[in-house]
Amino acid sequence: MKSINIFYNEMKDMKESIAMLKREVKKIDKEWNNLLVEIRETVFNAAQGAQLYKRTQEFLQERRLLKMQMEELKNQYIVLGGDEKLKELEEFQDITKVGNKKGIKRRKADYFKNFREDIKEEVSNMYHVTK
């Protein structure tokens, strides 16, 4: 059960990270447009042109890095099952809160009575053990 919760939280975090990176790219695209307006409306001398060139180069590198990070996260998200898997895990989270549906197997505590104590503790953390 814990691993399912962990996987759900990781998928949810990944989706939120992708959305955050999209917002960052939009913000950088606005800055890019502002930079282009500045270039269009300003007459530069050689030193100012060199500074602008350097600023533009750094800006484009930062944008490229963000887009690569976003693309990598999207690929990982898709490989892990994407929105369908996240929805399935979310439904499973709701089910475990409500009760036993969809055949979630529960064991009585006496099922594990002959197990070693350290195993009993591990099993009780992994499964729904009822008294």
Side-chain angles (χ1 to χ4, degrees):
M1 287 308 293
K2 287 183 180 181
S3 59
I4 293 172
N5 293 338
I6 291 169
F7 186 60
Y8 169 73
N9 289 330
E10 290 295 324
M11 289 281 292
K12 190 174 173 186
D13 287 345
M14 193 177 291
K15 186 172 183 174
E16 290 170 2
S17 296
I18 291 169
M20 181 192 71
L21 286 172
K22 282 181 182 178
R23 287 189 300 270
E24 286 294 315
V25 168
K26 282 183 181 181
K27 189 170 98 175
I28 285 183
D29 285 343
K30 276 186 177 181
E31 290 177 24
W32 174 248
N33 288 334
N34 291 339
L35 183 64
L36 292 176
V37 168
E38 182 182 337
I39 290 171
R40 184 183 65 215
E41 296 176 352
T42 308
V43 177
F44 298 103
N45 63 28
Q48 291 171 329
Q51 287 176 347
L52 184 63
Y53 174 78
K54 180 76 171 161
R55 189 170 139 205
T56 303
Q57 191 177 37
E58 290 171 354
F59 177 84
L60 290 174
Q61 288 171 357
E62 181 183 344
R63 184 176 185 274
R64 188 178 318 131
L65 179 64
L66 270 176
K67 287 198 136 222
M68 285 173 46
Q69 288 173 338
M70 187 174 65
E71 185 179 319
E72 180 66 27
L73 273 179
K74 278 183 180 179
N75 289 340
Q76 290 176 10
Y77 186 73
I78 290 169
V79 166
L80 291 173
D83 290 336
E84 292 175 13
K85 188 65 170 181
L86 185 64
K87 185 177 178 182
E88 180 183 323
L89 290 169
E90 190 172 1
E91 289 173 2
F92 189 77
Q93 297 291 314
D94 294 339
I95 289 170
T96 56
K97 291 175 188 171
V98 172
N100 188 11
K101 293 183 182 174
K102 288 190 180 179
I104 298 173
K105 195 161 196 163
R106 298 184 187 274
R107 298 277 187 190
K108 298 277 186 200
D110 62 348
Y111 180 82
F112 304 104
K113 68 182 175 190
N114 293 333
F115 284 32
R116 292 190 329 248
E117 289 302 316
D118 59 331
I119 295 176
K120 283 182 187 178
E121 185 177 322
E122 191 173 323
V123 166
S124 66
N125 290 334
M126 288 179 13
Y127 298 106
H128 291 283
V129 178
T130 57
K131 302 284 180 200

